[in-house]
Amino acid sequence: MNQQEVTKSQPVSKRMVWEAYKKVKRNRGSAGVDRQSIAMFDEAQPKNLYKIWNRMTSGSYFPPPVRTVLIPKANGSKRALGIPTVSDRIAQMVVKNHLEPMIDQEFSSQSYGYRPGKSAHDAVSRASANCHKYGWIIDLDIKGFFDNLNHDKMMQLLKLHTREQWVLLYVERWLKAGVELDGEITARQSGTPQGGVISPLLANIYLHHAFDKWMEEMYKGNPFERYADDIIVHCSSRDEAEELLAVIRERLREYDLTLHPEKTKVVHCKDYRRNKVEEDGVGFTFLGFDFKPRVVRSNRGGWFLGYGAAIGKSAQKRITATIKDSGLVRWTTATIESIAEKWNPKIRGWINYYGRFGRKELYKMFDVFNMRLARWIGNKYRITSKRACIKRLKIIKQENKKSLCSLVVK
């Protein structure tokens, strides 16, 4: 640290800002209220980074308003996504990089969201294992968690983990930063922007105290999986689940959080051992995967009723819409190689995420894609027979296995 850095009032080094910048650049992201992209930021990178460092070290850094974009959801509603400016994302990353290594080790092993070394697949895998052991689950849906996080409680909880004034100073300013929507800026009274760099860490701190720690102390016999604000709790009976749900509801109210009355539910995990309960296994969705009774093949060659995860219906609809709306059948001037170049990253992404559990269900989705390719062949080569198009597609795939890569999905 040079002499200029020593004289600054806040312990933020240029190295901390540089490391934060590299992560933000790697993560990319859209422009904030200033409409400055990462490419535009890089045009004067040294000057911009110096400005962030200078203001953070002097305590004079004040975050600009967060641009809000409304993202359509599958049910027709919209989710508010907050997009800080590039500079603000770097400043938030400085604090996150400093704070997370110290706090993360205190979090529950049953918390998976936005944590180093943990993933959504880890959470789904553990949920599957617990559904095998326990016959009932509580599917908790916290209504507008990121919008309703209590600022005063958030700061109180953060002080349990750090007393560093510069960290507390900037977190409080980020919580209170204005919100920009359609050109109008309003003050934020509660919540933290879903899309902010620091927000997932703050969410984990909040729910660590509101839920995780409390559950592990009071209800050790009820394992759970939490990924950010998505929570599944396992129980041995319906009565136990309903009683525990009532207690959880009251617990979360103490932290100004409300369970969605329609989306929160108790579900029976019906399988071959638990098939005498009158209700059908209703099923639930967790991190894009549908859990429900499924007929599966045993190692001995027979079939039995299991309970497990596979790509969810909402994800299937989204993928189908992406394929159908792409206009692929009209790309008559394109080559199969150019189509592969465009589509392979998407297909790899779908397979890598949704193919981890119940891959056969995912592969059914590619029937839609294959038929679109067959129609493309018909339009490109003026082949009218559907059977002939499919036959031609198989030949093309066979001849171009290396270049087509994940277009060969079966």
Side-chain angles (χ1 to χ4, degrees):
M1 189 177 292
N2 60 36
Q3 184 61 38
Q4 186 182 18
E5 292 183 58
V6 171
T7 60
K8 292 292 186 177
S9 61
Q10 309 300 335
V12 178
S13 69
K14 291 180 178 178
R15 170 60 62 180
M16 292 167 69
V17 175
W18 175 250
E19 293 299 329
Y21 159 76
K22 289 194 295 183
K23 284 190 177 180
V24 169
K25 184 174 182 178
R26 188 162 59 244
N27 295 338
R28 301 181 183 180
S30 303
V33 291
D34 59 359
R35 299 301 188 267
Q36 183 187 54
S37 65
I38 292 178
M40 295 166 64
F41 180 93
D42 280 347
E43 291 176 2
Q45 180 220 86
K47 179 180 178 181
N48 289 330
L49 292 180
Y50 177 83
K51 186 185 297 183
I52 295 170
W53 169 76
N54 189 45
R55 291 179 178 177
M56 291 194 76
T57 53
S58 64
S60 62
Y61 179 81
F62 287 88
V66 177
R67 183 166 74 94
T68 302
V69 177
L70 299 179
I71 308 297
K73 297 173 69 174
N75 60 6
S77 62
K78 294 183 178 181
R79 174 173 64 92
L81 179 67
I83 305 177
T85 63
V86 174
S87 294
D88 197 40
R89 294 206 293 274
I90 295 171
Q92 289 187 35
M93 189 66 79
V94 168
V95 175
K96 180 177 182 289
N97 286 347
H98 175 77
L99 197 58
E100 187 173 58
M102 297 183 293
I103 295 181
D104 186 77
Q105 58 187 338
E106 301 178 33
F107 290 155
S108 167
S109 62
Q110 300 178 88
S111 168
Y112 297 87
Y114 307 106
R115 295 185 59 192
K118 290 181 176 286
S119 70
H121 284 158
D122 293 333
V124 174
S125 180
R126 177 49 53 187
S128 295
N130 281 329
C131 283
H132 183 74
K133 296 178 182 178
Y134 298 82
W136 296 83
I137 67 101
I138 309 172
D139 183 5
L140 297 173
D141 187 289
I142 301 176
K143 191 174 182 180
F145 168 73
F146 281 91
D147 294 329
N148 295 306
L149 184 148
N150 183 291
H151 288 175
D152 291 336
K153 283 187 171 64
M154 181 70 255
M155 293 307 300
Q156 291 171 9
L157 297 176
L158 181 59
K159 288 176 183 178
L160 297 177
H161 297 276
T162 181
R163 287 291 179 177
E164 295 182 87
Q165 292 303 309
W166 71 278
V167 172
L168 299 173
L169 172 72
Y170 290 128
V171 168
E172 186 169 22
R173 287 179 183 176
W174 280 314
L175 289 173
K176 295 179 179 180
V179 179
E180 185 270 340
L181 178 62
D182 296 330
E184 295 187 6
I185 298 176
T186 57
R188 185 186 297 277
Q189 304 300 326
S190 63
T192 181
Q194 192 169 358
V197 171
I198 199 70
S199 295
L201 179 58
L202 298 182
N204 276 335
I205 293 171
Y206 201 89
L207 286 174
H208 170 72
H209 292 278
F211 184 82
D212 302 355
K213 188 177 179 182
W214 171 77
M215 276 291 295
E216 291 181 336
E217 291 176 352
M218 303 299 294
Y219 298 94
K220 294 180 181 179
N222 298 100
F224 63 89
E225 297 83 34
R226 182 175 70 78
Y227 194 96
D229 58 335
D230 289 334
I231 309 173
I232 302 298
V233 181
H234 301 269
C235 301
S236 298
S237 69
R238 185 223 292 271
D239 290 343
E240 181 186 36
E242 291 180 345
E243 290 175 7
L244 181 54
L245 173 56
V247 176
I248 291 173
R249 182 179 284 111
E250 291 303 315
R251 170 67 180 184
L252 293 180
R253 280 178 181 167
E254 296 176 14
Y255 286 81
D256 293 341
L257 299 176
T258 305
L259 292 177
H260 197 291
E262 297 174 0
K263 295 180 181 179
T264 297
K265 57 187 179 181
V266 171
V267 176
H268 172 51
C269 304
K270 181 177 180 179
D271 64 13
Y272 73 97
R273 302 162 302 158
R274 303 185 287 250
N275 59 3
K276 294 182 179 180
V277 180
E278 293 182 2
E279 299 95 335
D280 292 330
V282 178
F284 64 97
T285 301
F286 183 52
L287 302 178
F289 292 91
D290 282 354
F291 285 72
K292 66 179 184 179
R294 301 179 187 277
V295 177
V296 295
R297 193 177 185 87
S298 70
N299 294 331
R300 298 177 181 179
W303 298 88
F304 67 96
L305 183 67
Y307 194 89
I311 182 174
K313 284 187 177 180
S314 60
Q316 291 180 28
K317 290 180 180 178
R318 186 172 64 252
I319 291 174
T320 299
T322 299
I323 294 170
K324 290 183 176 180
D325 296 343
S326 67
L328 171 61
V329 298
R330 298 188 296 273
W331 298 358
T332 54
T333 60
T335 63
I336 193 67
E337 290 80 9
S338 64
I339 291 176
E341 184 178 356
K342 178 177 177 61
W343 280 94
N344 276 342
K346 290 187 177 70
I347 294 174
R348 286 194 196 100
W350 294 332
I351 292 175
N352 288 342
Y353 187 75
Y354 294 109
R356 183 71 173 270
F357 306 94
R359 179 168 286 202
K360 288 184 179 180
E361 293 295 320
L362 173 64
Y363 279 176
K364 292 178 182 178
M365 296 298 304
F366 294 116
D367 287 339
V368 178
F369 188 77
N370 287 333
M371 292 313 299
R372 280 296 192 277
L373 277 178
R375 286 181 57 188
W376 168 78
I377 287 173
N379 291 339
K380 183 176 181 66
Y381 299 104
R382 298 185 180 182
I383 302 173
T384 57
S385 169
K386 181 178 178 180
R387 180 176 295 181
C389 289
I390 295 174
K391 184 177 180 180
R392 181 72 173 267
L393 175 60
K394 289 181 179 179
I395 294 172
I396 291 175
K397 285 186 174 183
Q398 189 65 32
E399 293 176 345
N400 298 272
K401 279 187 177 181
K402 290 185 179 180
S403 61
L404 296 186
C405 194
S406 50
L407 280 187
V408 185
V409 295
K410 288 190 176 181

